[in-house]
Amino acid sequence: EATGKIPESYLPGPGIEEMCTGPMDCATGLTGKATTVLVRRRPGATRLVVTLRRLPDAPTLAPLAVRVSIPAPSGEVSAATMLTADGPAERRVELPLPADIRPGAALDVDIRAARAISAAATPAPRSLTVAAIEQI
């Protein structure tokens, strides 16, 4: 019942703070070295797609290794990508949804970057932007 209020996808915006259980600015998607975003498992979905965006004013972070994982009773599923200074500003990470997490349950989407930098106008370090989390 408690997971019924958690959306099945994440797009940055106001009023969704309950989705971001780890340290990040949920309204903008800006995150530091590690965070967790909750999404509710959608019936019929088999894959999770996470879109990550490099920080445009932080070339010293590139290349930045990022790992996305979903913990599950049967073991964690994970995938990795590299955010680079040249090439696409966004990278999509796709991973299978664990079969033992039933539809309607909350998925912990863990996002970990190799490092972070100090951010202007905020005391929190920043690594990247989580642009979207979707299920297909």
Side-chain angles (χ1 to χ4, degrees), residues 13-18 27:
I16 58 170
E17 290 76 20
E18 69 278 355

Side-chain angles (χ1 to χ4, degrees), residues 11-109:
L11 289 172
I16 58 170
E17 290 76 20
E18 69 278 355
M19 293 182 76
C20 303
T21 61
M24 76 181 281
D25 182 349
C26 206
T28 65
L30 280 171
T31 187
K33 194 171 177 182
T35 194
T36 300
V37 179
L38 298 177
V39 292
R40 184 170 29 96
R41 172 84 189 256
R42 182 174 58 79
T46 59
R47 303 195 67 73
L48 187 81
V49 179
V50 180
T51 303
L52 305 172
R53 185 178 305 128
R54 69 177 177 234
L55 298 182
D57 299 328
T60 58
L61 275 175
L64 180 65
V66 183
R67 186 170 168 271
V68 178
S69 61
I70 303 169
S74 60
E76 173 182 278
V77 296
S78 66
T81 192
M82 189 75 66
L83 296 175
T84 58
D86 54 353
E90 291 185 352
R91 299 283 180 167
R92 289 170 45 109
V93 179
E94 190 172 322
L95 55 160
L97 289 170
D100 56 345
I101 299 179
R102 63 175 175 69
L107 296 166
D108 292 345
V109 182

